[in-house]
Amino acid sequence: MPYEILDHAADAGVRGIGATLDEAFAEAARGMFALMAHLERVRPERTVDVAVEADTLEGLLVAWLGELLARRDIEGLLFSRFAVEIAREGSGWRLRGRARGEGVDPARHRLGVEVKAATYYGVRVGQDGDRFIAQCVVDL
């Protein structure tokens, strides 16, 4: 299933679409990194494990994308492949994810816009017919 980039006046929206909630979250991450670089040029050479928790699925999406942006900034990585497992934990939600990518190489990577943060603006997580949606606006 794909991701979509949503029009927004000053920033951009990303929508992950999947047959499962896990796939929708993974596609939302692909959409966010597609704003920053051509994903086809990002090699899956390094793997980063991510674990986040939140009280709501919307909070979990913002935390997931925010943690990936932190790893990008701290480790200088671009990611192109994602795997996600979401589970209920007590009254909240837990996500264990894996992102694969490589260090930024401006000579080889065609860089796009810089995403500064995932926001709660326009955040939506849910089921639409037989597909799951995970979307939010990201701050550029």
Side-chain angles (χ1 to χ4, degrees), residues 1-49:
M1 293 277 180
Y3 62 83
E4 297 174 350
I5 304 301
L6 308 173
D7 287 335
H8 187 272
D11 295 308
V14 293
R15 175 183 292 151
I17 303 166
T20 65
L21 193 58
D22 297 349
E23 287 180 14
F25 272 59
E27 287 299 319
R30 278 182 20 92
M32 183 175 74
F33 276 88
L35 290 167
M36 296 183 262
H38 273 227
L39 298 182
E40 299 78 26
R41 295 182 180 205
V42 179
R43 299 177 187 145
E45 295 176 347
R46 289 187 53 193
T47 300
V48 172
D49 291 324

Side-chain angles (χ1 to χ4, degrees), residues 1-2 4 6 14-21 23-25 28 57-58 61 122-136:
M1 293 277 180
E4 297 174 350
L6 308 173
V14 293
R15 175 183 292 151
I17 303 166
T20 65
L21 193 58
E23 287 180 14
F25 272 59
L57 285 171
E58 291 78 9
L61 176 64
V123 68
R124 178 180 164 224
V125 177
Q127 193 165 0
D128 182 16
D130 63 347
R131 63 186 193 161
F132 286 84
I133 303 290
Q135 70 180 44
C136 72

Side-chain angles (χ1 to χ4, degrees), residues 24-90:
F25 272 59
E27 287 299 319
R30 278 182 20 92
M32 183 175 74
F33 276 88
L35 290 167
M36 296 183 262
H38 273 227
L39 298 182
E40 299 78 26
R41 295 182 180 205
V42 179
R43 299 177 187 145
E45 295 176 347
R46 289 187 53 193
T47 300
V48 172
D49 291 324
V50 175
V52 293
E53 298 176 358
D55 293 337
T56 65
L57 285 171
E58 291 78 9
L60 196 68
L61 176 64
V62 172
W64 158 240
L65 298 177
E67 183 63 23
L68 291 171
L69 290 172
R71 295 297 184 92
R72 175 207 59 187
D73 293 342
I74 293 167
E75 301 178 38
L77 298 172
L78 287 172
F79 300 112
S80 60
R81 296 186 187 176
F82 305 90
V84 173
E85 290 181 23
I86 297 171
R88 260 242 186 253
E89 190 164 288

Side-chain angles (χ1 to χ4, degrees), residues 76 78 102-111:
L78 287 172
E102 66 175 324
V104 176
D105 180 356
R108 193 166 48 78
H109 294 131
R110 187 183 305 168
L111 299 177

